[in-house]
Amino acid sequence: MALQTEIEGPVSRMFRRASIQRRSRTNGNFDGVWRDITDYVKKWGTIRSAIDDIRLNKFQHGGVSLTVNNDTGAFNHETNRNSLWFNYLSRYRTLLRLEAGYYDSTTYNELPATSTVGYFILDEEIQIRSDSNDVSLNGSSLQSIFHEVRARDVAGIFGATTASGVVSRIRDHTDGAGVNIFRSFITSTAWVITSSANQYSMTTDLVEDLSTWDLMEKLAESEGYVVLINRQGGIEFRDRTPRTTTSQFSFRGQDFPRPTIMAIREYKEAYNKYYNYFRVKYLQADTATSFITAGTTTAVNATNPSWLFGQRTYELENTLIQNTATAQSIASNLFTAFGTMTSEALVKVAYHPSLELLDRIDMSFHSYDLANSTIWDAFDWAPNTGDTGATWSVEGENFEWDSRQFVITARDVNLDDFSMTIRARDLTA
């Protein structure tokens, strides 16, 4: 309740922190110590995460770019004694952690208890310029470490196994000396892997061109799941259902007290995320028997989806699928998930540090509250006898939301002005 009070307050005290974790010159591992660099940061930028924007079930994590002051040489090459990396390994692949939240106005404790916005990896050498002491710290998503490891190198994924089983083996992947590759960046307890039942038959040839992230993403697409990185740097391989059955936060706007909605950028039918015919290729041969389909075909009537919205076909190729029954199950599940037209909103709101993708929220917003109120001198008097013209019985409706339910599919966090832009799917039937 304290966090909600601060988010909704007319004046809030907020904090931001940036810290780095460097690698030891002795063993190459991260040293486990977070070094605060907040005082160097001049510009924080925006962090984006989203699903479904490019392709259904596809996750985007946009990385971050900080502008920092280098007057003292803190970001110089690691051979420079003034550098924060002196006696450490290269600045490249340094871990970067960003945190942001609110101070409780009564106790001055930080809210929430876990205020992490995201973890990133410095993926470019830091460029020092003669005309400015400002430099950029560019951090990529943790996705990048999975793109660097080939799926074929992961032991135990070949033969018939489930998607969740493959993801578990990727989590536990080690180098030739038995040292975990991904756990240097993401601890084993930070993985959330939802069990799946479909069997996949993998061979070296089938995964030859895939990175470990590509493979997880392909399996998620087939299962109707998503694979994503949450704000605390954990990996989630999970279904698409909202995380909870109740709203995690209530955003309010015009005509409601203590508003937290700054603007509704758009509200529309999500035609670009609607498909009424799914075609899954599960065999390598280009023949008719290599495809399984689910959905509707066009018929001229008032209830046929293909007639109402046009034939919207989604193509999926996954030759890892074990058999016809599994392929049919995948196609049918995709049609169930995306074969109904839904609406979505793009809304700018006050920063909420705890919200994740697939969190359920509700929003309240009234375009104008004119019903049964005087509108004297707001329009011309009606000429009909007996029509006083003093009130309107109904409103001109754009947004009439009263705790309307949504699920978040994209979030852009602006750490410079502490706002969020949320894209959310309307759950209202």
Side-chain angles (χ1 to χ4, degrees), residues 40 108 209 217 247 255 286 361 404:
Y40 297 102
Y108 297 101
D209 297 328
E217 202 164 59
S247 175
D255 197 39
D286 288 323
I361 60 172
R404 197 175 186 92

Side-chain angles (χ1 to χ4, degrees), residues 266-378:
E266 64 180 30
Y267 180 67
K268 65 175 184 178
E269 287 185 317
Y271 184 75
N272 62 323
K273 298 170 187 174
Y274 165 76
Y275 296 90
N276 47 41
Y277 194 78
F278 290 84
R279 192 165 180 258
V280 177
K281 182 182 180 185
Y282 74 104
L283 298 176
Q284 287 183 309
D286 288 323
T287 63
T289 56
S290 297
F291 294 85
I292 291 295
T293 62
T296 61
T297 56
T298 302
V300 183
N301 64 61
T303 60
N304 180 266
S306 297
W307 181 248
L308 289 173
F309 303 109
Q311 187 75 61
R312 297 277 296 167
T313 302
Y314 189 87
E315 302 275 356
L316 168 63
E317 179 176 344
N318 191 327
T319 53
L320 306 177
I321 297 171
Q322 181 82 355
N323 52 51
T324 305
T326 301
Q328 187 63 68
S329 173
I330 288 169
S332 299
N333 289 340
L334 286 169
F335 179 60
T336 299
F338 299 104
T340 302
M341 180 66 76
T342 59
S343 296
E344 65 180 18
L346 184 66
V347 185
K348 184 176 181 180
V349 298
Y351 173 58
H352 191 305
S354 298
L355 292 181
E356 298 271 18
L357 295 182
L358 298 178
D359 268 339
R360 183 190 291 259
I361 60 172
D362 66 80
M363 292 191 276
S364 298
F365 192 100
H366 289 167
S367 294
Y368 294 97
D369 191 16
L370 297 177
N372 301 314
S373 63
T374 182
I375 49 173
W376 182 269
D377 203 30

Side-chain angles (χ1 to χ4, degrees), residues 103-164:
Y103 288 113
D104 187 302
S105 56
T106 303
T107 65
Y108 297 101
N109 292 328
E110 292 183 359
L111 301 171
T114 304
S115 56
T116 308
V117 181
Y119 288 83
F120 306 90
I121 301 172
L122 298 189
D123 61 348
E124 296 179 13
E125 275 293 355
I126 301 168
Q127 299 177 358
I128 309 299
R129 299 184 296 270
S130 63
D131 60 344
S132 171
N133 285 333
D134 292 345
V135 298
S136 294
L137 294 185
N138 297 313
S140 64
S141 166
L142 291 177
Q143 281 178 271
S144 62
I145 63 174
F146 296 96
H147 285 304
E148 295 173 356
V149 178
R150 297 183 304 175
R152 63 169 295 171
D153 294 335
V154 179
I157 67 171
F158 299 110
T161 184
T162 62
S164 53

Side-chain angles (χ1 to χ4, degrees), residues 40-58:
Y40 297 102
V41 180
K42 300 179 68 174
K43 185 174 175 58
W44 295 81
T46 299
I47 302 168
R48 175 172 175 75
S49 56
I51 54 174
D52 299 337
D53 269 14
I54 297 176
R55 184 174 171 84
L56 299 185
N57 301 315
K58 189 174 182 65

Side-chain angles (χ1 to χ4, degrees), residues 170-338:
I170 292 174
R171 175 197 61 195
D172 299 332
H173 176 52
T174 63
D175 64 10
V179 179
N180 290 104
I181 298 292
F182 301 122
R183 291 189 191 178
S184 294
F185 303 91
I186 306 165
T187 63
S188 60
T189 56
W191 290 66
V192 177
I193 304 173
T194 302
S195 178
S196 61
N198 291 327
Q199 292 286 318
Y200 297 85
S201 183
M202 297 190 197
T203 65
T204 304
D205 290 342
L206 289 177
V207 302
E208 179 66 34
D209 297 328
L210 300 179
S211 70
T212 49
W213 185 269
D214 293 333
L215 180 56
M216 289 192 294
E217 202 164 59
K218 185 176 271 296
L219 291 170
E221 183 179 53
S222 297
E223 293 289 329
Y225 283 13
V226 292
V227 55
L228 58 86
I229 299 171
N230 59 35
R231 67 183 181 87
Q232 297 184 53
I235 302 293
E236 298 185 29
F237 184 80
R238 52 165 293 130
D239 60 53
R240 299 178 55 87
T241 57
R243 296 176 185 274
T244 58
T245 57
T246 58
S247 175
Q248 297 297 95
F249 192 76
S250 297
F251 288 102
R252 294 190 291 265
Q254 187 168 275
D255 197 39
F256 287 87
R258 302 175 71 86
T260 47
I261 296 177
M262 301 177 187
I264 299 178
R265 302 296 191 197
E266 64 180 30
Y267 180 67
K268 65 175 184 178
E269 287 185 317
Y271 184 75
N272 62 323
K273 298 170 187 174
Y274 165 76
Y275 296 90
N276 47 41
Y277 194 78
F278 290 84
R279 192 165 180 258
V280 177
K281 182 182 180 185
Y282 74 104
L283 298 176
Q284 287 183 309
D286 288 323
T287 63
T289 56
S290 297
F291 294 85
I292 291 295
T293 62
T296 61
T297 56
T298 302
V300 183
N301 64 61
T303 60
N304 180 266
S306 297
W307 181 248
L308 289 173
F309 303 109
Q311 187 75 61
R312 297 277 296 167
T313 302
Y314 189 87
E315 302 275 356
L316 168 63
E317 179 176 344
N318 191 327
T319 53
L320 306 177
I321 297 171
Q322 181 82 355
N323 52 51
T324 305
T326 301
Q328 187 63 68
S329 173
I330 288 169
S332 299
N333 289 340
L334 286 169
F335 179 60
T336 299
F338 299 104

